[in-house]
């Protein structure tokens, strides 16, 4: 996988490629699935942005056209499939972003798509993230303590106090997740999803 292809991926691009790992789709189905899954928690979803993203991914050779549907009175819909390069790009992007602590918005998407990695690799990347979080938490904790010892006014420390609390909470959550992953208490990996009735119904509704 070429590094520049991964560098050019947007969060929307990653999510489109991840959707196509589930099966071939047209952009209208992608939009409906994203909204049904409340992915707008992570990114802003508009038809225009998604169609533009699909076009860019196609030009980059990460997805391929399968054909055009002209059923009934519906507008023409082009169905896309994931190219091998696109499959590799999702994995490479998640590998890059999962251990990083300096891009929290991208981390949320990497975490949402981390199931595209195998369990052992996910654990290794999250442990790397944990090490970085421990260091960052220590800096905030020690800095806060030092500032208070110097009688720095509390009102100028509230942001640091909040960040220290968030880092502490994330470390507790991450330790819990790592315990569950290592105990294999959570199904994991690209093939771990059952082809459930709920999933099939969701896909069918998005295709209408």
């Amino acid at each position: 996988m070429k590094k520049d292809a991964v560098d050019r991926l947007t969060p929307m691009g990653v999510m489109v490629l991840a959707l196509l790992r589930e099966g071939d789709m047209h952009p209208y189905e992608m939009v409906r699935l994203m909204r049904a899954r409340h992915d707008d928690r992570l990114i802003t979803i508009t038809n225009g942005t998604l169609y533009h993203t699909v076009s860019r991914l196609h030009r980059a050779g990460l997805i391929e056209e399968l054909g055009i549907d002209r059923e009934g009175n519906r507008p023409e819909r082009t169905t896309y499939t994931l190219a091998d390069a696109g499959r590799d790009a999702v994995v490479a992007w998640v590998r890059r972003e999962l251990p990083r602590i300096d891009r929290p918005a991208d981390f949320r998407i990497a975490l949402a798509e981390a199931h595209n990695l195998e369990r052992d690799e996910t654990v290794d990347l999250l442990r790397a993230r944990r090490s970085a979080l421990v260091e960052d938490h220590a800096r905030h904790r020690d800095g806060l303590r030092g500032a208070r010892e110097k009688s720095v006014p509390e009102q100028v420390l509230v942001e640091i106090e909040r960040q220290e609390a968030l880092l502490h909470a994330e470390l507790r959550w991450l330790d819990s997740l790592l315990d569950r992953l290592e105990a294999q208490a959570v199904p994991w990996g690209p093939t771990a999803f059952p082809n459930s009735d709920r999933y099939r119904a969701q896909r069918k509704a998005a295709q209408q």
Side-chain angles (χ1 to χ4, degrees):
M1 167 53 49
K2 293 182 179 178
K3 181 177 181 295
D4 58 345
V6 178
D7 289 341
R8 289 198 302 269
L9 274 180
T10 63
M12 174 70 85
V14 172
M15 298 191 78
V16 167
L17 293 176
L19 277 177
L20 289 175
R21 285 179 69 105
E22 300 178 24
D24 304 333
M25 300 184 196
H26 51 71
Y28 183 69
E29 181 182 355
M30 297 176 196
V31 170
R32 295 194 67 176
L33 268 178
M34 285 183 177
R35 288 176 177 157
R37 295 172 179 179
H38 303 289
D39 288 337
D40 48 3
R41 297 175 302 106
L42 305 174
I43 56 174
T44 300
I45 300 172
T46 66
N47 290 5
T49 301
L50 187 134
Y51 278 81
H52 177 69
T53 298
V54 167
S55 179
R56 289 181 66 245
L57 294 172
H58 183 241
R59 290 197 304 272
L62 301 181
I63 63 177
E64 298 171 355
E65 289 186 5
L66 277 185
I68 299 175
D69 178 13
R70 296 183 174 87
E71 182 179 345
N73 295 323
R74 294 175 180 172
E76 290 184 352
R77 293 176 179 174
T78 302
T79 298
Y80 293 90
T81 192
L82 189 62
D84 289 343
R87 192 177 305 275
D88 294 342
V90 174
V91 172
W93 192 91
V94 173
R95 281 174 179 155
R96 186 185 71 183
E97 297 301 327
L98 201 59
R100 296 185 66 158
I101 65 170
D102 58 332
R103 298 204 290 224
D106 286 355
F107 168 71
R108 291 184 69 194
I109 294 168
L111 184 63
E113 302 301 342
H115 58 265
N116 289 291
L117 305 179
E118 297 296 343
R119 184 186 303 271
D120 289 347
E121 183 173 20
T122 303
V123 168
D124 289 344
L125 292 170
L126 289 176
R127 287 213 169 276
R129 178 180 183 81
R130 187 187 186 283
S131 296
L133 286 171
V134 167
E135 293 181 7
D136 199 25
H137 176 253
R139 281 194 295 269
H140 282 79
R141 181 197 61 211
D142 296 346
L144 195 59
R145 182 187 299 122
R148 284 171 173 158
E149 288 173 352
K150 295 175 182 177
S151 299
V152 174
E154 282 290 324
Q155 61 264 40
V156 302
L157 298 177
V158 291
E159 190 281 327
I160 300 173
E161 182 181 43
R162 172 184 178 274
Q163 187 62 18
E164 188 273 336
L166 291 175
L167 288 165
H168 178 70
E170 182 171 355
L171 280 167
R172 289 182 60 188
W173 165 81
L174 186 52
D175 284 341
S176 173
L177 175 60
L178 284 166
D179 286 345
R180 285 179 285 151
L181 287 172
E182 291 178 326
Q184 300 194 19
V186 182
W188 201 262
T191 61
F193 283 102
N195 192 17
S196 65
D197 290 342
R198 180 179 179 183
Y199 174 74
R200 288 195 297 269
Q202 191 181 54
R203 285 290 309 272
K204 184 177 180 179
Q207 292 167 357
Q208 303 303 312

